[in-house]
């Protein structure tokens, strides 16, 4: 499984994420700069030092959706094969054990999309995010009959066979994540 790490104006957490992925023995890691300003280039330069880490650059003023499509295109055009990919952000938001667990689950269930789930029972989780997740759960249930615990999670493991189709999904920003699910 190949992690695709999207990062917009990262800080030192990007290096923590990449180091964690390297320690977890991911052999190929793709990082996509999501139109960060130049003052953050040092963080992308730092992660390039990892021999198994490739940094790609997003189109100006395009978001996470376009960044993922750029990574999918890179993997497909360079014929870099794997069981699939796992999307991660560069802010160190996800526990490395969860990233590894989702990756292992994808390897076991080669045709399933695996979506990590955040703990919404934690009272420190902002009300707005809980409400947004609840509304998106209703939309997913209505639109595609899926009952997802966390449809807005950025931690998603996707089979390699789906990458070409997902390149054609509409959306360049965070709307892409929703369109991908539907």
């Amino acid at each position: 499984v190949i992690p695709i790490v999207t990062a917009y104006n990262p800080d030192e957490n990007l290096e923590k994420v990449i180091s964690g992925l390297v320690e977890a023995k991911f052999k190929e890691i793709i990082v996509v700069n999501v139109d960060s300003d130049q003052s953050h280039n040092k963080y992308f330069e730092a992660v390039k030092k990892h021999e198994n880490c490739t940094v790609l650059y997003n189109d100006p003023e395009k978001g996470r959706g376009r960044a993922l499509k750029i990574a999918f295109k890179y993997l497909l055009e360079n014929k870099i094969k794997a069981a699939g990919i796992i999307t991660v952000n560069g802010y160190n938001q996800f526990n490395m054990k969860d990233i590894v667990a989702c990756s292992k689950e994808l390897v076991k269930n080669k045709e399933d999309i695996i979506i990590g789930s955040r703990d919404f029972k934690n009272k420190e989780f902002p009300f707005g995010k809980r409400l947004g997740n609840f509304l998106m759960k209703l939309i997913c249930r209505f639109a595609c009959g899926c009952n997802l615990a966390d449809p807005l999670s950025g931690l998603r493991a996707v089979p390699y066979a789906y990458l070409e189709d997902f390149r054609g999904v509409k959306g360049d920003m965070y709307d892409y994540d929703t369109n991908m699910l539907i």
Side-chain angles (χ1 to χ4, degrees):
V1 177
I2 299 172
I4 297 175
V5 181
T6 55
Y8 171 73
N9 288 341
D11 57 19
E12 60 280 342
N13 281 312
L14 179 60
E15 176 60 34
K16 291 177 185 175
V17 171
I18 301 306
S19 294
L21 293 169
V22 169
E23 287 175 29
K25 307 286 188 235
F26 285 96
K27 294 179 183 167
E28 181 85 27
I29 301 166
I30 307 295
V31 176
V32 187
N33 177 342
V34 185
D35 196 28
S36 301
D37 62 53
Q38 291 185 357
S39 68
H40 294 85
N41 284 347
K42 64 184 176 184
Y43 299 107
F44 293 103
E45 292 303 316
V47 299
K48 281 183 184 179
K49 294 176 184 172
H50 296 280
E51 67 180 61
N52 56 344
C53 189
T54 301
V55 177
L56 304 175
Y57 295 88
N58 195 10
D59 298 327
E61 298 185 29
K62 299 295 180 184
R64 175 182 151 85
R66 179 66 62 91
L68 291 173
K69 291 177 192 180
I70 287 169
F72 297 167
K73 178 180 179 185
Y74 173 82
L75 292 170
L76 291 165
E77 287 181 353
N78 290 286
K79 298 179 178 28
I80 300 171
K81 296 282 186 177
I85 60 93
I86 187 160
T87 62
V88 179
N89 67 40
Y91 312 116
N92 207 20
Q93 177 183 17
F94 304 115
N95 183 304
M96 195 56 59
K97 289 191 313 192
D98 294 337
I99 295 169
V100 170
C102 287
S103 297
K104 287 180 179 179
E105 194 66 28
L106 176 67
V107 171
K108 284 194 285 187
N109 300 289
K110 294 177 175 40
E111 295 180 10
D112 293 339
I113 296 173
I114 312 300
I115 301 174
S117 182
R118 297 168 286 180
D119 181 9
F120 289 97
K121 293 177 183 165
N122 181 343
K123 295 195 189 289
E124 291 180 21
F125 210 89
F127 174 76
K129 289 193 177 201
R130 283 193 306 233
L131 178 61
N133 190 64
F134 174 76
L135 294 173
M136 186 54 67
K137 284 168 65 170
L138 292 177
I139 290 169
C140 286
R141 192 175 304 145
F142 175 74
C144 58
C146 298
N147 189 18
L148 303 173
D150 188 2
L152 297 176
S153 175
L155 181 59
R156 298 179 182 188
V158 177
Y160 190 89
Y162 297 172
L163 296 187
E164 186 64 50
D165 289 339
F166 282 175
R167 280 184 59 200
V169 171
K170 290 185 180 186
D172 287 331
M173 305 302 240
Y174 286 98
D175 58 331
Y176 175 79
D177 287 320
T178 302
N179 294 337
M180 177 195 263
L181 287 175
I182 294 171

